[in-house]
Amino acid sequence: MKKIYSNIRGTSDFDTFDSFIFSRICKKARSAFNIFGYQEIILPILEEKGLFAKGVGQVTDIVQGQIFELKGKDIVLRPEGTAQVIRYYIQNSLHKKSDFHKFFYIGPMFRRERPQKGRFRQFHHIGAEAIGSDSIYLDVEVIMLALKISAECGIKDTELKINSLGCADDKRKFSEYIKKSLKPATLCAACKTRSTHQALRVLDCKRPECIKAVKDLNLGQNSLCQACQEQFKKLRSILDDAGVKYTSVPTLVRGLDYYTNTVFEITSSKLGSQDAVGAGGRYNNLMKTLGGPDIPAIGFALGLERMLIALGSKDFKQKPDIFVATIDKTTVAKGFEILTRLREADLSCVFEYQQKTLKAQLRSAQKKGIRFVVIVGEDELKEGSVILKDMDKSVQTKVKIDNLILEIEKIS
Ligand code: HAM
């Protein structure tokens, strides 16, 4: 029996619509990155496993069970971009070239998660990393950039959630406090285990029993040292001054070990249980952890597939502007010549290659939602003209071929 192959579970085939929106999102993101002064880097999909064990954290969900590893090698498909960008930075001693770098990247990431709506095994990140400054204004810049990209892409009903995990010392003390205070018997099965070696992760578990157990802890921002409290206050006041709306969520901790101080998430009500369109935060100690110099950094990543889901509607048609129709075989050559001329003027147009009747060609143009049809007929050609039909207005005029481009540009 013939085997019919399907795409691998947790991966997506983007149809022409999704591919078009995908490219449009990338275009909008690149324009926002340019406005904010971030430069693109394209890094490999394959990395050494140890980079993520050390960078993201040995006991994180990602490293514990989600890494796609090449059999018998210490090579993995990258699960995220931050540790990788820092690897690239250290490898090339970029701190010797400049003390401040702002990078962005767009590309696929891989995590062996249980696939569900908004959660895939291959997905794409639009990520940014700003390396070399601990200024709280940079935290605000990064947050505003992530918000700008999602807004420019048309994602509505978003909410910005922020928190501060404090410095490494605060984080360690807070984690010990949580570990001591939580009663494992009240938690879901996964969090019973987490509560011993990854206690902070229990805070953003979505299971009702864990939400209740965490609520009972009555958390505030009092786990932070004076300096980190001041810093978080400053962050909120700059966001207020900039008119950026946010919710301060003391249980927002994020699943990657490298974060300290500012963490944030942008959620959308258009998504289901996987409601984060993007997330990020500060990771001032990651560079040192990976054997580099002691340089602070902050960044974020937006999930492209989640942006596609949040955008929803498929009623948008990707269509050319012009359909070049020919009356019969005798006008095909001239029709093709006109098509070429229109394309040289950067007008998007299609041609009928299957020798259908004019009626069928007009029907096809209408079905595709194309606004203009150029009808190439023998009689008009004798006068150096064609018929230009505006399908939206149902009007047609005779136009000299030499004036055709000008005429289309005038009325479109
Ligand atoms: P993350 O929260 O793991 O952060 O991923 C960022 C975003 O990627 C999520 O908010 C979500 O939109 C999307 N995402 C994550 N996992 C999946 C999945 N399995 N399927 C579909 N989309 C997914 C990071 O990876 C950090 N590197 C972000 C960062 C950059 N922090 C600082 N700099």
Side-chain angles (χ1 to χ4, degrees):
M1 212 169 58
K2 267 197 227 159
K3 178 177 162 74
I4 305 292
Y5 291 96
S6 307
N7 64 315
I8 306 284
R9 211 164 91 86
T11 68
S12 316
D13 291 326
F14 293 115
D15 62 16
T16 53
F17 174 84
D18 282 341
S19 301
F20 177 71
I21 302 296
F22 187 115
S23 303
R24 209 165 60 160
I25 290 175
C26 295
K27 200 169 158 198
K28 300 249 179 211
R30 284 195 170 90
S31 149
F33 283 129
N34 184 38
I35 290 168
F36 277 66
Y38 287 67
Q39 288 181 310
E40 184 160 17
I41 44 173
I42 301 172
L43 301 181
I45 284 165
L46 300 176
E47 285 285 348
E48 244 182 87
K49 187 180 180 186
L51 172 66
F52 300 104
K54 214 168 186 185
V56 173
Q58 185 63 51
V59 293
T60 53
D61 293 346
I62 294 181
V63 173
Q64 286 291 303
Q66 297 174 355
I67 296 235
F68 279 104
E69 196 173 342
L70 265 66
K71 216 171 167 183
K73 309 258 186 275
D74 266 344
I75 295 173
V76 299
L77 302 181
R78 63 179 180 190
E80 64 103 51
T82 308
Q84 178 176 51
V85 171
I86 298 304
R87 187 272 298 150
Y88 161 76
Y89 183 100
I90 298 170
Q91 184 179 344
N92 293 286
S93 300
L94 294 186
H95 60 290
K96 291 185 184 157
K97 297 189 178 132
S98 159
D99 58 3
F100 191 45
H101 294 265
K102 299 204 288 189
F103 297 120
F104 81 88
Y105 49 91
I106 300 178
M109 304 291 159
F110 304 83
R111 295 182 194 173
R112 188 184 251 128
E113 300 201 68
R114 193 168 50 79
Q116 57 176 277
K117 185 181 170 199
R119 188 192 271 171
F120 305 96
R121 290 183 163 182
Q122 176 177 336
F123 57 97
H124 295 77
H125 267 172
I126 296 179
E129 315 294 348
I131 308 165
S133 167
D134 197 21
S135 164
I136 198 71
Y137 285 94
L138 182 61
D139 297 36
V140 177
E141 169 178 302
V142 163
I143 292 172
M144 288 174 91
L145 173 56
L147 287 171
K148 183 177 172 74
I149 296 173
S150 54
E152 297 273 309
C153 291
I155 295 168
K156 300 196 176 83
D157 304 317
T158 54
E159 188 185 358
L160 168 67
K161 294 176 179 153
I162 59 167
N163 190 24
S164 174
L165 301 173
C167 53
D169 217 24
D170 290 346
K171 202 175 153 186
R172 186 180 45 74
K173 284 185 195 147
F174 186 48
S175 179
E176 273 161 22
Y177 168 76
I178 299 291
K179 195 166 146 183
K180 227 169 44 204
S181 314
L182 284 172
K183 295 182 188 70
T186 62
L187 306 174
C188 75
C191 286
K192 275 194 182 87
T193 325
R194 281 191 193 126
S195 66
T196 58
H197 56 265
Q198 230 197 336
L200 288 185
R201 290 293 287 143
V202 178
L203 300 190
D204 59 12
C205 177
K206 306 281 187 302
R207 305 275 309 181
E209 59 271 42
C210 299
I211 292 176
K212 179 172 183 320
V214 170
K215 202 166 167 212
D216 291 346
L217 294 179
N218 226 345
L219 298 170
Q221 233 77 53
N222 41 17
S223 63
L224 304 184
C225 66
Q226 192 65 32
C228 290
Q229 270 188 45
E230 286 299 322
Q231 205 189 27
F232 189 47
K233 200 165 142 201
K234 181 86 183 153
L235 174 79
R236 290 182 318 235
S237 111
I238 307 170
L239 286 172
D240 289 336
D241 290 347
V244 177
K245 300 246 176 319
Y246 60 86
T247 313
S248 189
V249 181
T251 54
L252 180 70
V253 290
R254 318 269 306 107
L256 303 115
D257 271 2
Y258 49 61
Y259 290 120
T260 49
N261 296 100
T262 305
V263 283
F264 65 96
E265 210 169 75
I266 300 168
T267 57
S268 163
S269 57
K270 296 273 189 295
L271 296 168
S273 61
Q274 304 300 315
D275 65 352
V277 177
R282 243 189 203 283
Y283 50 93
N284 288 351
N285 302 317
L286 179 60
M287 184 93 70
K288 231 173 14 182
T289 308
L290 291 175
D294 189 3
I295 292 176
I298 180 165
F300 71 86
L302 296 167
L304 228 149
E305 285 73 6
R306 297 217 184 145
M307 294 172 87
L308 283 173
I309 298 171
L311 284 170
S313 151
K314 287 215 165 202
D315 57 10
F316 177 86
K317 270 202 184 130
Q318 183 193 356
K319 55 180 193 222
D321 301 320
I322 306 158
F323 190 108
V324 179
T326 49
I327 299 275
D328 54 38
K329 272 191 195 152
T330 59
T331 61
V332 169
K334 194 67 190 172
F336 194 76
E337 191 190 309
I338 292 170
L339 175 88
T340 308
R341 263 216 240 174
L342 293 172
R343 285 178 176 163
E344 276 165 3
D346 287 344
L347 292 168
S348 92
C349 40
V350 288
F351 193 58
E352 173 53 60
Y353 292 100
Q354 290 169 36
Q355 285 296 302
K356 289 185 184 156
T357 62
L358 180 62
K359 205 169 153 197
Q361 293 179 65
L362 289 173
R363 221 181 302 123
S364 166
Q366 195 166 35
K367 214 166 134 195
K368 291 187 171 94
I370 297 175
R371 169 138 182 229
F372 297 110
V373 180
V374 173
I375 304 170
V376 186
E378 219 171 340
D379 291 346
E380 289 79 18
L381 280 182
K382 280 182 196 146
E383 304 167 22
S385 303
V386 288
I387 303 284
L388 177 61
K389 188 172 168 84
D390 184 335
M391 303 290 277
D392 284 0
K393 297 190 177 140
S394 285
V395 288
Q396 60 180 54
T397 42
K398 204 195 286 182
V399 180
K400 286 272 180 220
I401 295 172
D402 289 343
N403 295 338
L404 183 61
I405 294 166
L406 222 71
E407 193 59 31
I408 292 172
E409 283 171 350
K410 205 164 78 190
I411 57 175
S412 55

